[in-house]
Amino acid sequence: VDNPHFPSFDLFAKSQTVTYNYYKGRLNMMEENYTEAETCLDYALKHCHKGSVGNKTRVLQFLIPLKLLKNQAPHKDLFSKYPLQQYEDIVLAIKTGNLRLYNELLRKYEDFFVSKGIYLLMVRLKRYVYCNLVRKVFKLNEKYKSSKPQQISLKVFRAAFKFHGVEVSEDNFDEIECIIANLIHEKFVKGYLAHGRALVLSTKSDKFPKKNLPS
């Protein structure tokens, strides 16, 4: 197809170019070429026959997680048109920072995600759940702690994680520190860790500079 002597795509039926881009998109997903995969699947969805709910659903099963990876949530009307319950649940968990629900959904839909070859991608999306959970903890800390609300004890995070079914030992915050450190490194959170004690957020307004799915 990439051969310069290959006939122009304009010579092929639309159904053939849609099928080609669908499978090319899936192949790019397997190779973790997510930008190219999104371009191909966007094309397939846009040019798919408007009455073909089944084919559009197949495309969306791969396109939605790619959009989520870029913090782009599907419009709620999409879920009323296509049978995509698993993604509707996933979006809810991300938006609300509900780590317990997200972990339950990974288990519930594991066979589906594995069969589509996107399970690891869904695990990667958990960082957005963590980000919204940290945001919620900050808002509560800001509401109830009048002095230095930007300093959040790791004990507070341990309580939040425990509430969501993640057990963290009383004297070991390594897992929590690792999660928060990754959020800082990936610029989801602006601040620094006071080792073993607290997350100290920036005093500036953009404590969460990277746009995230609205909570």
Side-chain angles (χ1 to χ4, degrees):
V1 175
D2 295 327
N3 190 305
H5 300 294
F6 194 83
S8 170
F9 261 33
D10 295 336
L11 299 177
F12 291 89
K14 190 65 68 177
S15 60
Q16 293 175 317
T17 60
V18 166
T19 300
Y20 169 78
N21 275 279
Y22 169 71
Y23 284 108
K24 185 180 179 182
R26 291 190 59 178
L27 178 61
N28 275 289
M29 285 189 74
M30 292 174 60
E31 297 174 347
E32 298 186 2
N33 298 325
Y34 295 134
T35 300
E36 180 67 20
E38 183 182 4
T39 299
C40 293
L41 293 171
D42 271 333
Y43 177 96
L45 182 64
K46 181 179 179 180
H47 294 92
C48 192
H49 190 279
K50 63 180 182 180
S52 185
V53 174
N55 285 340
K56 286 188 175 183
T57 300
R58 293 183 187 93
V59 175
L60 287 166
Q61 286 173 348
F62 298 96
L63 186 56
I64 288 176
L66 290 175
K67 296 294 187 182
L68 289 175
L69 197 61
K70 295 173 61 178
N71 290 347
Q72 297 175 5
H75 193 280
K76 60 182 180 180
D77 290 345
L78 193 74
F79 298 123
S80 63
K81 295 178 180 178
Y82 305 99
L84 297 162
Q85 183 64 50
Q86 59 272 62
Y87 292 116
E88 184 173 12
D89 296 340
I90 285 288
V91 169
L92 175 63
I94 293 176
K95 285 186 174 183
T96 57
N98 193 328
L99 183 59
R100 179 189 293 274
L101 176 59
Y102 196 87
N103 286 333
E104 289 175 353
L105 293 173
L106 282 182
R107 291 190 292 269
K108 179 179 179 180
Y109 298 120
E110 180 178 0
D111 289 345
F112 172 83
F113 293 141
V114 170
S115 70
K116 302 299 179 185
I118 58 173
Y119 181 80
L120 292 180
L121 179 56
M122 302 309 296
V123 172
R124 284 186 62 182
L125 291 175
K126 192 185 289 189
R127 59 187 177 175
Y128 300 118
V129 186
Y130 288 139
C131 183
N132 270 334
L133 178 56
V134 170
R135 191 196 305 267
K136 288 174 68 176
V137 170
F138 165 70
K139 287 181 178 179
L140 287 172
N141 201 57
E142 187 178 41
K143 182 177 181 180
Y144 295 108
K145 185 178 179 182
S146 56
S147 62
K148 297 182 179 180
Q150 72 272 17
Q151 294 186 15
I152 309 174
S153 169
L154 293 182
K155 292 181 180 180
V156 175
F157 284 111
R158 182 178 63 205
F161 275 65
K162 186 175 182 179
F163 177 79
H164 285 280
V166 179
E167 292 294 335
V168 181
S169 63
E170 294 290 326
D171 56 352
N172 188 343
F173 294 102
D174 288 351
E175 183 178 359
I176 292 176
E177 285 190 322
C178 182
I179 290 170
I180 295 175
N182 283 331
L183 291 176
I184 294 172
H185 175 71
E186 295 177 8
K187 295 181 172 55
F188 284 98
V189 177
K190 185 177 288 187
Y192 65 91
L193 277 168
H195 181 61
R197 294 188 293 116
L199 164 63
V200 182
L201 289 165
S202 169
T203 56
K204 297 180 180 180
S205 59
D206 59 341
K207 295 173 176 61
F208 302 91
K210 185 173 287 191
K211 183 181 178 182
N212 201 9
L213 296 184
S215 57

